[in-house]
Amino acid sequence: MDCLDLGDVVLHYADTGPRDAPSVVFANSLGTDFRLWDGVVPHLPAGLRVIRYDKRGHGLSSCPPAPYTMGALIHDAERLLDALGVRDCVFVGLSIGGMIAQGLAAKRLDLVRAVVLSNTAPKIGTRELWQERIAMVETQGLAAMSDAIMGRWFSKPFREGPQVTPWRRMVETTPAAGYAGCSAAIAGSDFYASTAKLRLPALVIAGSEDGSTPPDLVGELAGLIPGSRFALIRGAGHLPCVEKPAEFLSHLTGFLTDIGHAGATS
């Protein structure tokens, strides 16, 4: 297990592949750890450096007291990539991970040459909605919320089968402070102005059954970035890399190839 002590937080990460190869960095969603990408990473094209990490308050990273700011989450990613010597990566972010991607690309174009923004938006929900969820986490716990979360995350066939069980457990075992802290970061974030100024290759992915970031909202994000490509994965909810990993991988691999990242030299 690799960990990086940043002083205010210890980040757990995985860094595989040649250190001088083109890098792809993955940032996961609220209530998940970097196992979110297990169905995708082993099947990526050869010759890539692949980095996954657990954001603060999630997985095996440390859990500072809530609340968190989006600026802190972006700074965590920035410090991790600086420490690992990463430049010109393709940053793949899902949900809050996609918000981190937007913010990092706006701040550090030396780190990010392209983004994959999956099931995310410049602004997700309202401050009031997130304050209600934070209050529920603090008073009832995530186990009481997991049914509703699974309903937003997955299509009906997936959530009614046994395959949903690990994801329910992943949510229920997320530290309450981590979930509440990241919820506060989402509540205070609006990237409409900065994302509209981005000028870099972008792939934007939506799931037709997504109850957290519906396709129209994700499509609006794609419309902000000139030249971006938009992919709708039918039959998938908020985590298409889990429900439809082959389709997700096809879109991702095609994008990496088209921008010269897969198979490129450093």
Side-chain angles (χ1 to χ4, degrees):
M1 295 183 186
D2 293 317
C3 291
L4 178 66
D5 188 350
L6 297 174
D8 58 332
V9 67
V10 176
L11 294 182
H12 172 238
Y13 69 95
D15 181 3
T16 59
R19 295 300 182 264
D20 60 348
S23 299
V24 183
V25 180
F26 291 87
N28 45 286
S29 59
L30 180 66
T32 68
D33 59 42
F34 70 48
R35 288 175 293 178
L36 178 71
W37 307 104
D38 282 355
V40 172
V41 165
H43 309 291
L44 287 170
L48 292 171
R49 181 182 184 183
V50 179
I51 297 164
R52 297 184 283 171
Y53 74 100
D54 293 332
K55 62 187 167 294
R56 60 172 61 203
H58 286 68
L60 299 183
S61 291
S62 65
C63 185
Y68 311 151
T69 65
M70 188 60 67
L73 297 178
I74 293 166
H75 191 43
D76 290 347
E78 177 184 11
R79 290 184 290 171
L80 175 65
L81 298 189
D82 277 338
L84 297 179
V86 172
R87 292 291 182 273
D88 297 322
C89 76
V90 174
F91 199 100
V92 184
L94 193 150
S95 195
I96 188 175
M99 300 185 92
I100 293 169
Q102 293 172 67
L104 185 63
K107 184 179 182 182
R108 292 287 305 274
L109 272 179
D110 60 317
L111 296 180
V112 181
R113 66 162 298 218
V115 290
V116 178
L117 306 174
S118 179
N119 303 78
T120 189
K123 180 177 175 60
I124 300 176
T126 63
R127 188 176 293 273
E128 293 73 23
L129 178 148
W130 288 108
Q131 290 301 328
E132 289 175 5
R133 291 186 186 172
I134 290 168
M136 288 184 68
V137 172
E138 294 173 342
T139 59
Q140 301 178 37
L142 280 164
M145 301 169 61
S146 62
D147 280 345
I149 292 170
M150 295 301 103
R152 292 191 296 269
W153 278 11
F154 295 115
S155 66
K156 185 177 180 181
F158 189 94
R159 67 176 181 263
E160 290 184 347
Q163 62 271 21
V164 79
T165 300
W167 303 99
R168 183 187 301 276
R169 290 290 299 143
M170 192 178 290
V171 167
E172 292 176 349
T173 56
T174 298
Y179 194 96
C182 286
S183 294
I186 298 172
S189 298
D190 184 335
F191 286 110
Y192 274 99
S194 58
T195 295
K197 295 177 183 177
L198 292 179
R199 299 293 183 270
L200 78 175
L203 168 63
V204 181
I205 299 173
S208 66
E209 310 306 308
D210 190 345
S212 293
T213 50
D216 287 349
L217 180 64
V218 182
E220 184 181 10
L221 166 62
L224 291 178
I225 306 174
S228 68
R229 61 175 73 177
F230 177 72
L232 177 65
I233 299 182
R234 299 194 178 277
H238 192 55
L239 309 180
C241 55
V242 172
E243 282 198 78
K244 303 282 185 177
E247 290 183 46
F248 188 96
L249 182 69
S250 176
H251 290 297
L252 175 57
T253 299
F255 179 69
L256 294 174
T257 301
D258 289 348
I259 65 172
H261 205 70
T265 57
S266 61

